[in-house]
Amino acid sequence: MEITSFIIQKKMRAIRTGLINRAIGSAVTELTSKGIPVNKENILYELERVAASSNELQTKIFVLEAAKLLRKSDGSSPN
């Protein structure tokens, strides 16, 4: 039973990560299509704009989670 629970949790984390990555990717695509420079500040603005304009709770949750993670990042890549 514990192994099944672990596998389910691992799959859920993978799905969550994928949705957050898609939210950031969509923000970058939108900025690029508008000719707006792609930088952390503009990505955050776009994520917040999407969250504010969406009527879907799931969209708001993942977009705001993406913004939260982006705010926490310091721009350095892991070694």
Side-chain angles (χ1 to χ4, degrees):
M1 206 63 159
E2 289 181 29
I3 294 173
T4 304
S5 176
F6 174 75
I7 292 170
I8 291 171
Q9 288 176 355
K10 190 172 180 179
K11 285 182 181 183
M12 294 301 290
R13 280 193 299 267
I15 291 169
R16 178 180 169 271
T17 300
L19 291 170
I20 290 170
N21 286 338
R22 285 185 184 99
I24 293 171
S26 294
V28 169
T29 300
E30 189 66 25
L31 292 171
T32 302
S33 71
K34 292 178 180 178
I36 298 171
V38 177
N39 57 43
K40 187 175 179 178
E41 181 179 316
N42 289 341
I43 294 170
L44 285 169
Y45 177 83
E46 183 63 22
L47 290 170
E48 290 169 358
R49 186 196 66 75
V50 169
S53 67
S54 178
N55 293 327
E56 296 181 22
L57 183 59
Q58 268 190 321
T59 299
K60 287 180 183 279
I61 290 169
F62 285 108
V63 170
L64 291 174
E65 184 68 19
K68 180 179 168 183
L69 289 172
L70 195 56
R71 278 189 198 92
K72 284 183 179 180
S73 72
D74 63 359
S76 64
S77 60
N79 291 330

